């Protein structure tokens, strides 16, 4: 049976996985730009513009990672295997697990903080949690403590993910990077039904 271009196969990631991956990659670049500008260009017009999008883009990433995780689980048996020796395959599995966990935890902490600090939560101008009420330090303190640290940890893991993808593509010259850029449609027709 031929593989669908929407679904994943052992020869590459389908259109759904690739669109989710690259959309999230662009949004993560945006998020890290907002954080860097907040550190180096505080109280400037460009920083206010970018920072004004931080919560909305973060919430979008949170929704997308939940969708991507659900899609990934539905495609688990069809996904391409990790390339390389067994130790490298295990490291790739653990690295991806860490990425997914942090992609859920980091925005969840921000949402928890925003919902319990009394200021409310607006996403793209839509009020999700009304402002008012007393701040709940028991819920906001962990988020205050961990959101930034885990966000930078996520940034380091993403940088490592990019480095490993480039290493696979440029040094090992295996199919790892091509599977996420070109998908299964580049596989030989004779192998698609295997």
């Amino acid at each position: 049976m031929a593989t669908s271009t929407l679904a994943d196969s052992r020869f590459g990631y389908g259109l759904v996985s690739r669109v989710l991956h690259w959309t999230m990659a662009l949004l993560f670049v945006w998020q890290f730009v907002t954080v860097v500008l907040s550190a180096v260009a505080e109280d400037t017009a460009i920083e206010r513009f970018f920072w004004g999008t931080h919560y909305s883009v973060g919430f979008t990433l949170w929704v997308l990672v939940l969708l991507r995780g659900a899609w990934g689980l539905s495609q688990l048996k069809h996904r391409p295997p990790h390339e390389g020796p067994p130790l490298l395959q295990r490291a790739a599995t653990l690295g991806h697990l860490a990425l997914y966990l942090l992609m859920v935890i980091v925005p969840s902490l921000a949402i928890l903080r925003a919902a319990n600090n009394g200021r409310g939560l607006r996403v793209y101008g839509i009020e999700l949690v009304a402002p008012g009420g007393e701040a709940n330090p028991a819920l906001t303190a962990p988020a205050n403590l961990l959101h930034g640290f885990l966000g930078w940890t996520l940034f380091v893991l993403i940088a490592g993910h990019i480095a490993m993808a480039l290493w696979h593509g440029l040094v090992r010259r295996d199919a790892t990077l091509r599977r996420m850029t070109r998908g299964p449609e580049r596989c030989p027709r004779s192998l698609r039904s295997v």
Side-chain angles (χ1 to χ4, degrees):
M1 179 185 351
T3 58
S4 165
T5 57
L6 292 176
D8 297 342
S9 83
R10 66 183 205 152
F11 303 110
Y13 295 97
L15 185 61
V16 173
S17 291
R18 287 181 288 132
V19 166
L20 287 169
H21 178 274
W22 294 110
T23 300
M24 290 178 67
L26 290 172
L27 292 176
F28 272 115
V29 169
W30 186 274
Q31 283 298 79
F32 289 118
V33 166
T34 68
V35 172
V36 169
L37 285 174
S38 135
V40 300
E42 192 174 2
D43 293 328
T44 63
I46 192 165
E47 182 266 343
R48 283 190 294 276
F49 168 76
F50 275 91
W51 190 256
T53 67
H54 190 78
Y55 287 104
S56 295
V57 172
F59 186 83
T60 302
L61 279 164
W62 182 71
V63 170
L64 288 176
V65 77
L66 295 177
L67 289 173
R68 186 173 172 192
W71 175 256
L73 288 173
S74 78
Q75 298 295 301
L76 204 53
K77 292 181 181 179
H78 310 291
R79 295 194 140 192
H82 292 298
E83 297 275 344
L87 184 60
L88 189 60
Q89 292 176 17
R90 282 189 208 100
T93 299
L94 290 174
H96 282 100
L97 180 61
L99 279 169
Y100 273 95
L101 285 173
L102 286 176
M103 287 189 296
V104 170
I105 292 169
V106 171
S108 294
L109 288 169
I111 293 166
L112 180 70
R113 178 176 57 196
N116 290 285
N117 65 9
R119 292 186 300 227
L121 175 63
R122 294 180 76 79
V123 175
Y124 298 109
I126 300 167
E127 187 175 84
L128 299 182
V129 177
E134 292 292 317
N136 185 340
L139 295 175
T140 58
N144 289 336
L145 179 68
L146 295 172
H147 179 73
F149 172 75
L150 292 178
W152 285 111
T153 304
L154 177 58
F155 175 75
V156 169
L157 284 176
I158 289 171
H161 178 71
I162 294 167
M164 289 307 295
L166 292 173
W167 179 72
H168 275 283
L170 302 174
V171 177
R172 284 185 57 95
R173 296 184 185 272
D174 61 27
T176 301
L177 186 56
R178 284 192 310 272
R179 290 173 174 162
M180 189 50 82
T181 56
R182 296 183 186 163
E185 67 274 10
R186 298 286 187 220
C187 300
R189 282 200 180 284
S190 61
L191 296 177
R192 286 192 187 179
S193 61
V194 174

